[in-house]
Amino acid sequence: MEGEPVNVNEFQELARQALPKMYYDFFSGGAEDQHTLKENVEAFRRITFRPRILVDVSRINLSTTVLGYKISAPIMVAPSSMHKLAHPEGEIATARAAAASNTIMVLSSMSSCTIEEVASSCNAIRFFQLYVYKNRDVAAQLVQRAERNGYKAIVLTVDAPMLGRREADIKNKMIVPPLKNIEGLVSTEVDNDEGSILEGFAKGALDASLCWRDIGWLRSITNLPILIKGVLTREDAIKATEVGVAGIVVSNHGARQLDYTPATITVLEEVVHAVGGKVPVFLDGGVRRGTDVFKALALGAQAILIGRPVVYGLAAKGEYGVRKVIHMLKDELELTMALSGCPSVKDITRSHLRTEHEKIHSML
């Protein structure tokens, strides 16, 4: 590729060139037929704009708040594991880029830098993503460490009682590098000659019995607000508000868990309506353009989270690459807002979009 990337998608090719095949496949791949992986991106393309004209857009304000914390734009860093596979500085580089961009990073519990290392690397607002292990004491220790080190929320991943079938990882016999946060707490030694060692590790470690009543247990061991990540239906959105979560992330785990789940943007509105403003709703999955961010906001998300684009930026150009990815999305969002007649994030409304369903309806 000639010269500097001009959009986020171009970082993916740079990452492919920079990474060993096993690691690139791990970051880029999805479950089984990868239908949902493609659909997460494609579904955004079927939504079109209804821009408004002759609005004063000489000043555009991208800023918003998440759980009371002001960030420069409604674009956050999603939790994704093992950043040192992408770059030697790992999550420390990612955290510094998020801090420089004045946004929130959600640190994965399966990170290759520790909770403490990331906390001391820069001054930023951080949330901590949690998997619950069969040994509940491990989860409790992780939560306490996050709280002690100034993380502001727990993001509980609820769509992974088992690991999805990621066939590239099986073929590549994907290894598990040291997971610093759980070193000495959970064994990563796995005898799995059949394929992905990562899959074998997850099977032995993750608690498949986790259920709704356990949200109460989690609330009992921390004072931090709890968001749940992995909601795709109105029924689960309603239950989430009933058990007292502080927010919901509409997510299909980057299409890495159950293939043929819907693209997240297609169910966002269903979840937003079910919640009825009781808690904020966020979205991850498939965001590659500032136009995608705008579409998610118009359908009711308070902010979006980006996963793969961050990893691709990190793999290609380290901390600078992550900063560049976030900056590109912010620039594109600013332009989309200006051309749609929205001077601020709160001016973005449902009336600024036309979905595929509405297009068909208008032709009948």
Side-chain angles (χ1 to χ4, degrees):
M1 189 185 299
E2 295 297 315
E4 279 277 299
V6 296
N7 62 53
V8 166
N9 288 311
E10 292 183 355
F11 272 101
Q12 181 166 355
E13 176 57 22
L14 292 179
R16 191 186 65 75
Q17 292 168 14
L19 293 174
K21 183 177 186 298
M22 178 189 284
Y23 298 163
Y24 175 76
D25 287 353
F26 167 69
F27 287 127
S28 66
E32 296 186 354
D33 297 327
Q34 303 194 119
H35 167 81
T36 299
L37 182 68
K38 298 179 195 89
E39 189 62 11
N40 265 355
V41 173
E42 288 298 321
F44 276 104
R45 295 177 181 170
R46 293 193 291 271
I47 301 169
T48 53
F49 292 123
R50 300 181 70 249
R52 308 306 300 272
I53 57 170
L54 293 174
V55 177
D56 179 356
V57 289
S58 55
R59 286 195 185 88
I60 301 288
N61 182 4
L62 299 180
S63 69
T64 191
T65 58
V66 170
L67 300 187
Y69 299 101
K70 189 170 182 181
I71 55 176
S72 63
I75 300 164
M76 299 156 60
V77 175
S80 54
S81 60
M82 302 186 262
H83 284 199
K84 278 193 178 176
L85 298 185
H87 189 275
E89 291 176 3
E91 288 81 4
I92 286 173
T94 308
R96 286 178 175 155
S101 306
N102 189 17
T103 193
I104 294 167
M105 173 188 178
V106 186
L107 180 71
S108 169
S109 58
M110 290 179 70
S111 57
S112 39
C113 299
T114 65
I115 291 166
E116 293 78 9
E117 285 168 343
V118 173
S120 63
S121 69
C122 57
N123 184 22
I125 306 156
R126 285 175 300 274
F127 296 172
F128 180 70
Q129 177 271 335
L130 179 70
Y131 287 110
V132 175
Y133 298 95
K134 286 176 180 171
N135 179 353
R136 293 285 175 94
D137 287 345
V138 173
Q141 283 185 51
L142 291 172
V143 166
Q144 284 152 13
R145 284 167 60 193
E147 198 160 353
R148 205 162 50 236
N149 283 277
Y151 290 71
K152 302 300 185 189
I154 301 296
V155 180
L156 176 67
T157 294
V158 293
D159 59 6
M162 298 177 185
L163 204 70
R165 183 175 172 81
R166 304 166 193 175
E167 293 176 1
D169 292 348
I170 295 169
K171 282 181 184 167
N172 293 332
K173 299 192 184 306
M174 177 64 194
I175 56 170
V176 183
L179 299 171
K180 297 297 257 320
N181 286 320
I182 57 172
E183 225 167 22
L185 302 173
V186 178
S187 172
T188 56
E189 293 299 312
V190 175
D191 180 22
N192 190 10
D193 297 333
E194 302 288 301
S196 167
I197 293 170
L198 184 65
E199 189 179 344
F201 159 73
K203 197 170 188 177
L206 296 179
D207 187 353
S209 76
L210 189 73
C211 60
W212 284 108
R213 68 173 173 271
D214 295 317
I215 306 294
W217 160 76
L218 186 55
R219 289 178 69 196
S220 76
I221 63 168
T222 182
N223 294 315
L224 295 178
I226 295 162
L227 291 80
I228 67 168
K229 177 177 176 292
V231 174
L232 293 170
T233 64
R234 67 179 298 278
E235 293 88 344
D236 284 343
I238 290 165
K239 276 196 164 178
T241 58
E242 288 170 353
V243 298
V245 303
I248 288 170
V249 184
V250 175
S251 174
N252 53 31
H253 212 106
R256 294 161 74 80
Q257 282 298 96
L258 179 62
D259 202 12
Y260 296 93
T261 52
T264 48
I265 194 67
T266 66
V267 295
L268 172 60
E269 206 166 17
E270 174 185 329
V271 171
V272 167
H273 287 162
V275 165
K278 293 188 184 81
V279 296
V281 176
F282 307 94
L283 173 133
D284 72 11
V287 174
R288 299 292 182 272
R289 286 279 187 184
T291 49
D292 298 337
V293 181
F294 185 101
K295 289 169 186 180
L297 299 178
L299 291 170
Q302 187 158 351
I304 60 89
L305 297 94
I306 47 169
R308 284 186 182 89
V310 163
V311 173
Y312 297 150
L314 182 66
K317 293 175 181 285
E319 179 189 331
Y320 169 80
V322 179
R323 288 167 67 163
K324 191 76 175 162
V325 161
I326 297 169
H327 185 69
M328 282 174 169
L329 290 174
K330 284 167 74 168
D331 277 357
E332 290 176 3
L333 175 61
E334 183 175 23
L335 182 61
T336 306
M337 287 169 64
L339 297 179
S340 298
C342 298
S344 73
V345 167
K346 68 176 186 303
D347 295 314
I348 302 171
T349 68
R350 182 63 177 80
S351 69
H352 288 97
L353 294 188
R354 182 177 285 110
T355 63
E356 189 84 339
H357 173 74
E358 288 160 340
K359 284 180 235 171
I360 293 165
H361 191 71
S362 67
M363 288 188 275
L364 296 177

